[in-house]
Amino acid sequence: MRANSKKPPKRLGLHEPLFEGNEWRYLKECVDTAWVSSAGAFVTRFEEAVAARTGTRHAVALVNGTAALHLALEGAGVRRGDEVLVPSLTFIATANAAVYLGARPRFVDSEEGTLGMDPEALEEYLRNGTTTAYGKRMDKGTRRRIGGCVPMHTLGHPAQIDRICELGRRYGIPVIEDAAESLGSSYKGKPMGSWGLAGVLSFNGNKILTTGGGGMVVTDDARLAARVRHLSTQAKSDPDAYRHDAVGYNYRLPNINAALGLAQLERLDRLLERKRRIAEWYREELKAVGDARLIWEPSGARSNFWLNTVRLPPVRARRALLRLAQDNIEARPLWTPCHRQSIFRPILTAGPLTTADRLWRESVSLPSSAGLTRAEVRRVVRGLALEAHP
Ligand SMILES: *Cc1c(COP(=O)(O)O)cnc(C)c1O
């Protein structure tokens, strides 16, 4: 076959950053002043701005969201031998963080309505699968302490975090929100990241706000924030004499990354408006594709609409991914659920994980960059529709 002489259509990535504010100015300031590394005014300014935005008292900027999960769990008291409740349907980092601390993840099912940790499944497990002994809540089978619970707000859509936090309080288990995907989202008017003992954000390149790479722990708990800050800077007890009181980490966010973050944050409201408009375009265009259901913000929630994701019959979902790739359109499945990852064997579960499996097999995430045009949304939907009627 002869090579097609037509130019391939423009590539549409899953989620590309949009820089239209003070990015250049702030980065230049870093270079001009030679404040580029893990100290500098932008780190503090960025932390203060994110704390204000999420309605929390303290924020600690770190190198990425995974490091933020690691130290937030440490600060919440997760220890070697503990178990940590995690949704099975999440990015691997949520579960890995427990393992870094010598704890083990125990997987909870998700629910259809929010794609988040299912509060019914969680309650059922805590009531029937756990018991209190020596003042600790522990799994009845393994006799391991439940050290924490880490719900995640999938694709920016808030989980039923009020119910999850209420269960955490009732059973004495700290809740740490994996809000890596949900900066700018809120539930019942309260920002994501501010509900649990601590919240974790990510500013990776494909997230709604990016610092290149970066993350943050937000919390109202001064002791937890101080602990995270201390451990993230090598746990120095006497910086001049190079004395250290713990085995720490080099996890602080550099000033140049924070500069990028601050410029992005200044425009977050406009970014959220664009994201909502793109979701509305998808909703309208997808009316033409009968078997595709767009996942929408749950009731009581305001989503940042990080990724637009449709549910399709599983065979259709797989074919749609291939078809869109042919059109130079980046679409993605959801993560293989954690209970299917051999790295976590032996797999610990908190009840059946059927909804997580179903959501995984049926979901296709579509290009959702803030700079997307209506014509591009139409092009993506046309790709989906063609697959439906080949
Ligand atoms: C992106 C993401 C992370 C990890 O963040 P990084 O900054 O990439 O380390 C953790 N959890 C979830 C749910 C994510 O989407």
Side-chain angles (χ1 to χ4, degrees):
M1 216 167 70
R2 281 229 327 256
N4 194 337
S5 60
K6 249 175 57 188
K7 243 181 45 185
K10 179 188 160 199
R11 183 185 136 87
L12 295 180
L14 188 69
H15 200 288
E16 285 158 1
L18 183 69
F19 301 123
E20 356 171 83
N22 283 320
E23 286 85 356
W24 268 122
R25 204 158 72 80
Y26 292 171
L27 287 172
K28 185 168 187 311
E29 197 175 317
C30 291
V31 174
D32 287 347
T33 60
W35 283 94
V36 295
S37 199
S38 340
F42 283 117
V43 177
T44 312
R45 283 173 69 188
F46 185 43
E47 286 175 342
E48 286 170 0
V50 173
R53 182 75 208 199
T54 54
T56 52
R57 287 205 194 98
H58 310 279
V60 187
L62 301 172
V63 285
N64 55 55
T66 306
L69 276 164
H70 179 186
L71 292 192
L73 288 184
E74 207 281 349
V78 172
R79 293 293 174 263
R80 181 164 298 280
D82 284 353
E83 291 179 5
V84 177
L85 297 166
V86 170
S88 182
L89 190 65
T90 185
F91 181 54
I92 200 84
T94 320
N96 281 353
V99 180
Y100 298 158
L101 294 162
R104 298 195 53 79
R106 181 177 285 278
F107 300 114
V108 185
D109 207 6
S110 298
E111 50 146 350
E112 295 269 344
T114 67
L115 315 185
M117 183 184 273
D118 182 353
E120 310 275 330
L122 179 64
E123 179 162 18
E124 163 82 17
Y125 167 71
L126 289 172
R127 191 181 328 115
N128 300 317
T130 66
T131 183
T132 299
Y134 314 107
K136 295 185 291 198
R137 199 73 201 175
M138 55 171 68
D139 182 85
K140 272 184 185 168
T142 60
R143 310 292 291 175
R144 299 288 192 177
R145 184 178 82 116
I146 309 295
C149 175
V150 193
M152 192 276 286
H153 308 296
T154 311
L155 310 170
H157 303 307
Q160 290 189 55
I161 192 67
D162 52 344
R163 293 180 67 190
I164 294 168
C165 286
E166 160 56 25
L167 288 167
R169 272 191 297 278
R170 195 188 312 162
Y171 288 92
I173 298 166
V175 172
I176 297 94
E177 278 177 271
D178 183 343
E181 302 178 358
S182 53
L183 175 66
S185 303
S186 59
Y187 191 67
K188 299 189 173 169
K190 191 170 155 59
M192 306 333 289
S194 71
W195 283 83
L197 174 62
V200 167
L201 302 172
S202 165
F203 311 119
N204 185 26
N206 66 359
K207 295 288 165 38
I208 193 154
L209 181 155
T210 186
T211 57
M216 206 173 281
V217 175
V218 291
T219 180
D220 282 342
D221 187 314
R223 191 205 54 85
L224 189 149
R227 173 85 181 157
V228 169
R229 199 174 291 273
H230 185 61
L231 285 177
S232 71
T233 47
Q234 307 284 22
K236 297 190 265 288
S237 53
D238 179 346
D240 297 324
Y242 291 100
R243 266 190 247 285
H244 306 265
D245 56 19
V247 176
Y249 303 88
N250 181 9
Y251 275 179
R252 265 310 245 172
L253 186 74
N255 203 43
I256 45 170
N257 301 85
L260 205 53
L262 185 66
Q264 298 250 285
L265 195 65
E266 288 170 351
R267 300 186 58 86
L268 184 63
D269 284 325
R270 251 159 297 185
L271 203 61
L272 292 171
E273 277 169 31
R274 278 174 177 266
K275 299 288 287 178
R276 180 167 291 270
R277 199 165 61 224
I278 291 165
E280 280 160 2
W281 290 339
Y282 267 120
R283 186 163 63 176
E284 285 164 31
E285 298 294 338
L286 279 163
K287 284 181 186 150
V289 190
D291 61 350
R293 277 184 296 151
L294 182 67
I295 293 168
W296 200 252
E297 71 191 336
S299 68
R302 193 148 177 99
S303 178
N304 66 4
F305 287 101
W306 174 51
L307 286 187
N308 292 285
T309 301
V310 288
R311 289 181 63 185
L312 291 162
V315 176
R316 266 273 284 141
R318 280 197 298 278
R319 281 167 38 199
L321 286 167
L322 295 174
R323 162 76 224 199
L324 291 169
Q326 282 169 5
D327 288 350
N328 215 13
I329 294 169
E330 187 185 17
R332 291 270 183 92
L334 286 183
W335 319 274
T336 300
C338 291
H339 71 277
R340 299 185 170 279
Q341 309 271 2
S342 60
I343 52 172
F344 297 127
R345 279 188 206 146
I347 306 292
L348 304 176
T349 63
L353 298 163
T354 44
T355 306
D357 275 335
R358 188 164 54 244
L359 288 168
W360 165 51
R361 292 200 173 96
E362 294 182 357
S363 300
V364 175
S365 295
L366 304 173
S368 299
S369 311
L372 220 59
T373 64
R374 177 141 200 174
E376 287 167 341
V377 166
R378 214 172 280 139
R379 187 181 135 203
V380 174
V381 172
R382 209 159 45 228
L384 272 181
L386 276 178
E387 207 286 316
H389 317 285

